[in-house]
Amino acid sequence: MLIHLLAGALAPAFVRLWGRRAFFALALAPAAAVVWAVARSGEALDGTRVEELGWVPALGMDLTFTLGPLQWLMTLVVAGIGVLVLAYCAWYFRDDEPGLAPLAGTLTAFAGVMLGLVWADNLLVLYVFWELTTVFSYLLIGHDPAKRAARTAGMQALIVTTFGGLAMLVGIIVLRVETGTYSVLDLLASPPDASGAMTTAVVLILLGAVTKSALVPFHFWLPGAMAAPTPVSAYLHAAAMVKAGVFLIALLAPALSGLAGWREVLLPLGIATMLLGGWRALRQYDIKLLLAYGTVSQLGFLITLVGVGTRSAALAGVAMLLAHALFKAALFLVVGIVDQHAGTRDIRKLSGLRRPMPVIAAVAALAALSMAGLPPLLGFVGKESVYAALLDVAMGGDGTGIAPVTAWFVLIGVVVGSGLTVAYAARFWWGTFATRPGVDPTPTRPVPPGMAAAPVLLAGLSVVLAFLGRPLTAALSGYADQFPPGAHEAYLALWHGIEPALAMSAISLALGALLFRFREGFAGVQAAMSTQASAERSYQATVRGLDRLAVEVTGFTQRGSVGIYVAVILLVVVALPGSVLVAQGDWATETRLYDNPFQVALGALAIVAALFTARSRRRLRAVILVGVTGYVTAGFFVLHGAPDLALTQVLVETVTVVVFVLVLRRLPEHFTDRPLARNRYWRMAIAGAVAAAFAGFLLVAAGSRVAAPVSEGFPAAAIGFGGGYNVVNVTLVDIRAWDTFGEVSVLVVAATGVASLLFIDTRIAGIRRVHEIPYPAGVTKQPTRPGRRVWLPGPRTLTPDRRSILFEVVTRLVFHTIMLLSLFLLFSGHNNPGGGFAAGLVAGTALMVRYLAGGRYELDEAAPVDAGVLLGVGLTIAAVAAIVPIPFGGAVMQSAIIELAVPVIGTIKLVTALLFDIGVFLIVFGLMLDLLRSLGAGIDRQVRREERAADGVAGARAPTGGIR
Amino acid sequence: MTVNLALLLTAAGLVGVGTYVMLERSLTRVLVGLVLLSNGVNLGFLVASGSPGDPPLLYEYEDGSIADPLPQALVLTAIVITLGTVAFVLAMAYRSWQLAGNDDVQDDVEDAAIRRLAAADEASEGFDLSITATPDDQDEPIEEEGEAAGVAADGDSSDAGVPREEDS
């Protein structure tokens, strides 16, 4: 199987090398499977060979493969026909066929997956392969994506078979719950007892098989799947994929056929399918569609047989499976030949093909006769045993407990269905090869012998195997003997003697001949009886209904407005946990009013500031008030005993306010006035509810904490393997370092987002230093002597009304100190308040100060480096710090404590978590730089550009990106 | 664990006002509301973390008397991410102002399209009833196959080049 998948993966390369001859190479894969199976015949037919590999023990899913008699037969069918079809493809397709490589690969891989399905013992693994065949079949049917019918057909097949597959999965799981095993071998060894749950499991599993094998009412996807190229149809829909359902039923029949629901589902559906398929086949003019409906009919027939559950029926079913695979594949390949060489598939137009293609006509005749069940072909042999088995069941139940009425009904249905089969087989051969009066002979090209080889071989096998009745019986009885012995001993032979079964064959042949003889009249009857109702229409109605429902529900719930979505989310938060909160009724919590009287004052201040924020109609005022609440929160942190937190909060709040102001200078001063009166009360109500719910959750949740906190071990761990005395910092860079890593990644993303939103064009994003400013023509620059250079060169580029001397002086005094403070915080953060975040924010504040003093040129002088570089380097350092311990034998992100003895200073204790902290520092610093460059300098430049455009200065560059 | 009421009420108040401000159309007000909300939630963390204590700096303070350090680390992460969020949303507001002249959050175009479909009782664009995978059976023998958008008309992709009468 792995060979197949490998071959499938390599197929595109082969096709590129060899064109369509690559199919020969690909055919080697199934050929290998055939050889392997034949080599193992001995042990397969006697007992069962099992191979096991573990896969997911937690789910009970392991790769157990078996090769029993049934699997052996299926392997030969699947792989053997696979070889022939792949070889046939070499003549069927042109070298420059579009999409040939994927087709070749998919077809080969499909063969491999089908073999996996056949060999699987574990039902979950079987399900995996089942769905893989569905996927590959979808790819093969929709092979030409330009054709709408192909896409629709592929989608239909996918939906129907996946629906069945999912039902099957549920059934398998229920089976496991009831019997405790996924293994088919275990199931066969100890069949489960009947119960309600088992019936459900059986029905669900059968649903999967029924959809896969295209039984009524799921049969409509199979004719639609004829949109695939003919070799694909020959393989998938004659030999391989649809047989998966039959295979599954045959596999499980010994164990499950006695249970309620098995026969009740399979027999009526099988007979109905057989009759419906045959009926519709007689109305088709396209021989491919005719064969498709014929396949539907035959599948119903096969499922009826393997579903009955007696020894003779099982033998007959498996024999018919073999016969069907042989003749159907041959017929499909013949259709492909006719289509390619005569140019049409319409029987109204084909005429006189017998003369130019005698070999093909003979082959098709053999295959059609096998389908019709005439001696001396395998189809006849199979049908004889079918009738014998069904007669046994009808005569006395044959150990199955089926009521005689039902059994006779099944028998009569099979006879009538066989009659229809004879009729459409005749229709097929006659319509394709006979000479039609009044129609000119269709021009044909000669058929290359290699292409005809495959159908010839298949038809030949149909003949040869018919004479090998005894050996065939011996081979297949390994499977059939799993059933209890029946009324008569079943065997396959061309001649059973004068028996009622022979009479049945004769009756069905006569019926078919009559139908063919009076075919015009019959067609009239059919036309009169035709209706528009069909399974496909109901499928489409279902799909449309589902679509309409989706549209209505989406239209109702998705209003499109963010406010409404947020409101809905919040209301659900209030409603669901809130109702639980109210219902649980246990509100007894100890509360204290405050820990520190300052808390009340701060809290009141925060609430007042918040209320004023809500009322504020000016943007700037709202922002300042929000900053006040931020500082109040920092105050709370100090009172609580969290200095690191307070430091970070103050810094972040400051930066937030400054960033807000940088952007708000461009937005209008006031919020847009909008009549919000009615909305206002709704919003107040929601806000009140949310606040109350939040308070309630917090009260109850916090009040019910009784367990010891997780962080009790942190301080000891911090000193022990973290090497630091600031527990919060050690938590951030060591104990919970992955959280921090994720957080800094978010910062990188946010910074990138800001830059992309502001700088549409990378030219604007460049760094401009003061000495790069071009001088106007006629002005010469006087070189400055060293010692007379001005530090803070930026302010000279600002217009005088925008300079603040005080600010510049203070900046000159304070900037270097701030940078030193930042570095100090970085290095001392492990033992004292500080750390990478605080240090980065402080450094960013220094940049901010220089930018505010000197404008955008000052910013570029302060940090003439791309912010992206800083972010990238920081992230890399953090990642390296995470991975570095591994080569030294440690875990990821494990800190090492290094003690260095430095001669003059003493011992320095270095903790490698500092490396991670440095990465964090660089990232936060890069974020700040990016913010300042985008929201500060970037907006400055856009303002400047607009001013110049407004002034109409010559040589100004055109505004980019929709600036007003 | 005893719960600090002052802190609790402050947190709830901030959350409430933040929600009120957030349910608006102007992106700046949404952002202001978001900042208030996150401040309130950070205070909520503080409520849940227990009673205050000494700062978790083990050089100076005893192990048993320090405040719970884990919520502090979590809140620190939250604060920094709030900074990133504020910056990003502000950039969005600015861009929206550049393009549309205001910083209001627009209604979603796709959702409006679906609502129109729902109002008109139509199916979505992904569904087309007129395409069937199999053609209907022929009722009269002389009928041309051409009109059924089906399999027979499309046929195999490996047409031998001989002209065929069907079309789709």
Side-chain angles (χ1 to χ4, degrees):
Chain A
M1 181 189 19
L2 286 172
I3 303 180
H4 278 95
L5 293 173
L6 191 64
L10 288 175
F14 287 164
V15 169
R16 231 172 293 131
L17 277 179
W18 295 320
R20 57 198 171 91
R21 312 237 174 253
F23 278 108
F24 291 128
L26 293 174
L28 287 177
V34 172
V35 167
W36 178 85
V38 169
R40 297 263 183 290
S41 308
E43 33 180 298
L45 295 176
D46 288 333
T48 309
R49 177 196 151 88
V50 180
E51 272 182 38
E52 264 191 58
L53 293 160
W55 192 5
V56 185
L59 283 177
M61 183 159 81
D62 47 8
L63 292 169
T64 321
F65 295 113
T66 71
L67 192 70
L70 182 64
Q71 285 89 346
W72 176 83
L73 179 72
M74 282 297 295
T75 308
L76 287 178
V77 165
V78 169
I81 298 191
V83 171
L84 292 172
V85 166
L86 281 173
Y88 174 88
C89 280
W91 278 282
Y92 187 81
F93 292 112
R94 293 192 299 267
D95 264 331
D96 56 349
E97 183 87 22
L100 188 60
L103 181 77
T106 317
L107 199 53
T108 319
F110 177 86
V113 166
M114 188 72 204
L115 284 174
L117 194 157
V118 164
W119 292 332
D121 177 56
N122 187 304
L123 280 173
L124 275 187
V125 175
L126 192 144
Y127 171 74
V128 169
F129 283 117
W130 187 278
E131 293 295 3
L132 277 175
T133 60
T134 304
V135 167
F136 281 129
S137 142
Y138 169 70
L139 288 174
L140 287 169
I141 294 175
H143 155 247
D144 188 352
K147 292 206 187 115
R148 195 133 183 218
R151 283 205 316 269
T152 316
M155 188 56 95
Q156 234 181 39
L158 184 70
I159 291 181
V160 173
T161 45
T162 307
F163 164 70
L166 286 173
M168 190 171 90
L169 180 65
V170 175
I172 291 176
I173 295 177
V174 174
L175 190 69
R176 149 87 159 194
V177 168
E178 284 292 309
T179 61
T181 175
Y182 279 126
S183 161
V184 172
L185 285 176
D186 289 346
L187 274 178
L188 292 176
S190 54
D193 304 317
S195 68
M198 277 309 295
T199 311
T200 319
V202 159
V203 170
L204 287 172
I205 294 181
L206 286 181
L207 195 59
V210 158
T211 54
K212 190 75 145 189
S213 293
L215 292 190
V216 166
F218 302 107
H219 62 283
F220 50 89
W221 69 264
L222 193 51
M226 294 299 124
T230 311
V232 170
S233 294
Y235 195 41
L236 261 60
H237 307 123
M241 186 168 116
V242 294
K243 290 286 167 54
V246 181
F247 166 73
L248 184 67
I249 293 179
L251 190 65
L252 293 176
L256 299 180
S257 60
L259 295 174
W262 181 269
R263 294 197 184 96
E264 284 82 346
V265 169
L266 287 179
L267 294 181
L269 286 184
I271 296 294
T273 311
M274 189 177 187
L275 295 174
L276 182 68
W279 179 270
R280 290 196 70 168
L282 285 174
R283 302 193 65 200
Q284 299 303 321
Y285 292 99
D286 180 347
I287 44 179
K288 197 171 175 190
L289 275 181
L290 196 156
L291 283 184
Y293 280 107
T295 308
V296 169
S297 165
Q298 292 288 310
L299 284 174
F301 181 38
L302 285 172
I303 296 234
T304 312
L305 288 177
V306 295
V308 167
T310 64
R311 184 180 287 197
S312 39
L315 184 67
V318 173
M320 273 312 297
L321 192 153
L322 178 63
H324 175 260
L326 290 175
F327 66 66
K328 217 18 113 38
L331 286 174
F332 267 110
L333 294 179
V334 162
V335 166
I337 293 179
V338 166
D339 189 19
Q340 276 241 302
H341 295 99
T344 175
R345 291 201 309 254
D346 189 344
I347 59 176
R348 294 169 295 195
K349 301 191 180 80
L350 287 171
S351 165
L353 279 178
R354 212 173 22 188
R355 291 225 179 80
M357 306 184 184
V359 174
I360 299 295
V363 161
L366 280 178
L369 288 176
S370 185
M371 183 154 80
L374 277 150
L377 292 155
L378 190 57
F380 172 73
V381 171
K383 285 246 174 83
E384 281 292 291
S385 15
V386 166
Y387 292 130
L390 287 178
L391 269 173
D392 281 343
V393 173
M395 291 298 188
D398 203 6
T400 58
I402 301 180
V405 174
T406 322
W408 275 106
F409 183 69
V410 169
L411 183 61
I412 294 178
V414 167
V415 171
V416 171
S418 302
L420 287 171
T421 309
V422 172
Y424 69 70
R427 182 187 175 89
F428 173 81
W429 194 87
W430 204 261
T432 312
F433 292 107
T435 312
R436 188 167 306 277
V439 178
D440 298 329
T442 324
T444 60
R445 301 182 321 181
V447 179
M451 196 169 182
V456 165
L457 197 57
L458 288 169
L461 274 176
S462 289
V463 178
V464 167
L465 284 177
F467 291 97
L468 294 177
R470 274 249 170 248
L472 212 58
T473 314
L476 297 175
S477 39
Y479 164 68
D481 286 343
Q482 287 176 320
F483 293 92
H488 297 104
E489 192 194 322
Y491 61 96
L492 299 167
L494 266 180
W495 181 252
H496 285 244
I498 307 282
E499 283 189 358
L502 200 58
M504 299 282 159
S505 287
I507 296 176
S508 61
L509 277 172
L511 185 60
L514 274 175
L515 281 173
F516 182 66
R517 174 83 177 74
F518 296 109
R519 54 185 181 278
E520 277 101 26
F522 191 66
V525 169
Q526 278 188 320
M529 287 177 61
S530 77
T531 62
Q532 279 292 54
S534 77
E536 189 179 3
R537 289 249 178 267
S538 49
Y539 162 80
Q540 285 189 320
T542 313
V543 172
R544 182 191 156 87
L546 204 60
D547 192 278
R548 281 285 309 137
L549 183 67
V551 166
E552 289 291 335
V553 168
T554 311
F556 179 71
T557 54
Q558 297 282 110
R559 295 279 166 185
S561 150
V562 165
I564 294 189
Y565 293 160
V566 171
V568 167
I569 294 174
L570 289 172
L571 281 177
V572 169
V573 165
V574 168
L576 283 180
S579 56
V580 171
L581 183 69
V582 167
Q584 57 101 25
D586 179 12
W587 292 79
T589 323
E590 291 177 29
T591 60
R592 55 182 191 278
L593 201 51
Y594 52 77
D595 288 312
N596 187 318
F598 270 128
Q599 285 183 338
V600 180
L602 284 177
L605 181 58
I607 301 283
V608 166
L611 286 173
F612 275 112
T613 312
R615 277 178 47 104
S616 165
R617 300 242 52 94
R618 298 177 68 181
R619 289 174 200 263
L620 198 57
R621 188 178 345 160
V623 165
I624 302 286
L625 288 170
V626 166
V628 169
T629 59
Y631 290 121
V632 164
T633 316
F636 272 116
F637 289 148
V638 167
L639 290 177
H640 193 83
D644 241 332
L645 215 51
L647 178 63
T648 313
Q649 173 73 21
V650 166
L651 287 168
V652 165
E653 205 58 46
T654 315
V655 170
T656 306
V657 169
V658 170
V659 163
F660 255 114
V661 169
L662 284 177
V663 174
L664 284 184
R665 61 189 158 141
R666 295 278 283 162
L667 296 179
E669 191 181 336
H670 293 268
F671 286 115
T672 330
D673 254 348
R674 207 172 281 114
L676 284 173
R678 196 167 54 96
N679 265 346
R680 180 178 306 161
Y681 297 113
W682 275 114
R683 289 187 292 137
M684 280 201 258
I686 295 177
V690 169
F694 182 75
F697 296 150
L698 211 48
L699 191 66
V700 172
S704 56
R705 270 187 78 178
V706 291
V710 145
S711 52
E712 267 181 3
F714 278 26
I719 305 180
F721 64 77
Y725 287 81
N726 178 354
V727 185
V728 174
N729 185 278
V730 174
T731 309
L732 280 177
V733 300
D734 200 330
I735 302 179
R736 298 198 66 95
W738 279 118
D739 295 348
T740 312
F741 194 82
E743 174 196 349
V744 293
S745 316
V746 170
L747 289 182
V748 170
V749 169
T752 316
V754 170
S756 346
L757 279 172
L758 262 296
F759 297 122
I760 318 302
D761 183 352
T762 45
R763 288 176 305 165
I764 324 174
I767 297 170
R768 315 248 179 89
R769 304 195 57 173
V770 172
H771 63 256
E772 292 166 7
I773 300 178
Y775 282 77
V779 175
T780 52
K781 179 183 172 209
Q782 284 204 324
T784 49
R785 290 191 304 267
R788 286 198 52 92
R789 288 211 184 102
V790 178
W791 190 68
L792 276 202
R796 290 178 296 157
T797 62
L798 296 176
T799 55
D801 60 329
R802 293 181 53 193
R803 290 175 70 165
S804 160
I805 296 295
L806 187 61
F807 207 97
E808 289 171 32
V809 169
V810 169
T811 306
R812 286 194 181 101
L813 288 175
V814 147
F815 173 75
H816 298 94
T817 317
I818 301 182
M819 289 306 291
L820 268 180
L821 175 67
S822 151
L823 288 176
F824 172 75
L825 285 175
L826 174 64
F827 282 98
S828 76
H830 220 48
N831 300 313
N832 290 314
F837 285 111
L841 287 167
V842 170
T845 315
L847 277 185
M848 211 160 62
V849 162
R850 273 187 79 169
Y851 165 72
L852 290 172
R856 63 189 187 281
Y857 286 101
E858 188 59 43
L859 181 65
D860 287 338
E861 288 288 329
V865 60
D866 189 16
V869 169
L870 279 177
L871 290 167
V873 167
L875 201 57
T876 312
I877 292 181
V880 163
I883 304 176
V884 145
I886 296 183
F888 292 92
V892 174
M893 291 231 194
Q894 185 173 357
S895 306
I897 307 173
I898 308 169
E899 309 232 352
L900 299 170
V902 175
V904 173
I905 303 177
T907 46
I908 302 181
K909 191 175 91 170
L910 200 65
V911 181
T912 54
L914 181 63
L915 193 62
F916 187 75
D917 231 351
I918 291 179
V920 170
F921 166 77
L922 283 175
I923 291 175
V924 176
F925 185 55
L927 169 74
M928 291 297 310
L929 179 60
D930 217 349
L931 290 182
L932 287 171
R933 193 159 276 149
S934 317
L935 299 172
I939 296 186
D940 282 344
R941 288 211 178 100
Q942 284 173 358
V943 171
R944 191 74 198 98
R945 192 159 286 126
E946 283 174 28
E947 285 173 1
R948 266 190 271 144
D951 290 345
V953 172
R957 278 184 284 181
T960 57
I963 300 173
R964 299 287 166 99
Chain B
M1 200 185 85
T2 62
V3 175
N4 185 331
L5 264 188
L7 214 49
L8 177 75
L9 290 175
T10 314
L14 282 178
V15 165
V17 178
T19 312
Y20 173 75
V21 177
M22 209 164 73
L23 292 173
E24 277 232 25
R25 207 167 258 279
S26 162
L27 196 55
T28 317
R29 283 192 78 117
V30 170
L31 192 56
V32 163
L34 192 66
V35 173
L36 283 175
L37 190 64
S38 65
N39 281 334
V41 170
N42 290 341
L43 284 181
F45 263 101
L46 230 51
V47 170
S49 76
S51 49
D54 291 327
L57 303 168
L58 295 172
Y59 269 141
E60 284 129 46
Y61 302 99
E62 288 297 319
D63 187 346
S65 65
I66 58 172
D68 196 345
L70 181 59
Q72 297 182 21
L74 299 177
V75 171
L76 209 143
T77 310
I79 292 173
V80 179
I81 293 198
T82 307
L83 172 65
T85 311
V86 164
F88 188 76
V89 176
L90 272 180
M92 269 173 35
Y94 178 72
R95 192 92 191 105
S96 165
W97 174 82
Q98 265 194 328
L99 293 174
N102 56 52
D103 66 340
D104 289 348
V105 180
Q106 306 295 330
D107 276 356
D108 191 39
V109 171
E110 290 289 334
D111 286 343
I114 293 192
R115 289 181 65 197
R116 272 197 302 276
L117 282 179
D121 284 341
E122 287 169 14
S124 70
E125 293 129 26
F127 180 81
D128 190 345
L129 193 59
S130 66
I131 299 296
T132 58
T134 45
D136 294 330
D137 295 338
Q138 315 301 327
D139 280 334
E140 297 121 37
I142 312 182
E143 207 174 80
E144 279 303 307
E145 282 183 341
E147 75 219 42
V151 169
D154 287 326
D156 290 308
S157 50
S158 62
D159 215 316
V162 176
R164 313 171 69 168
E165 283 131 74
E166 303 94 334
D167 55 3
S168 59

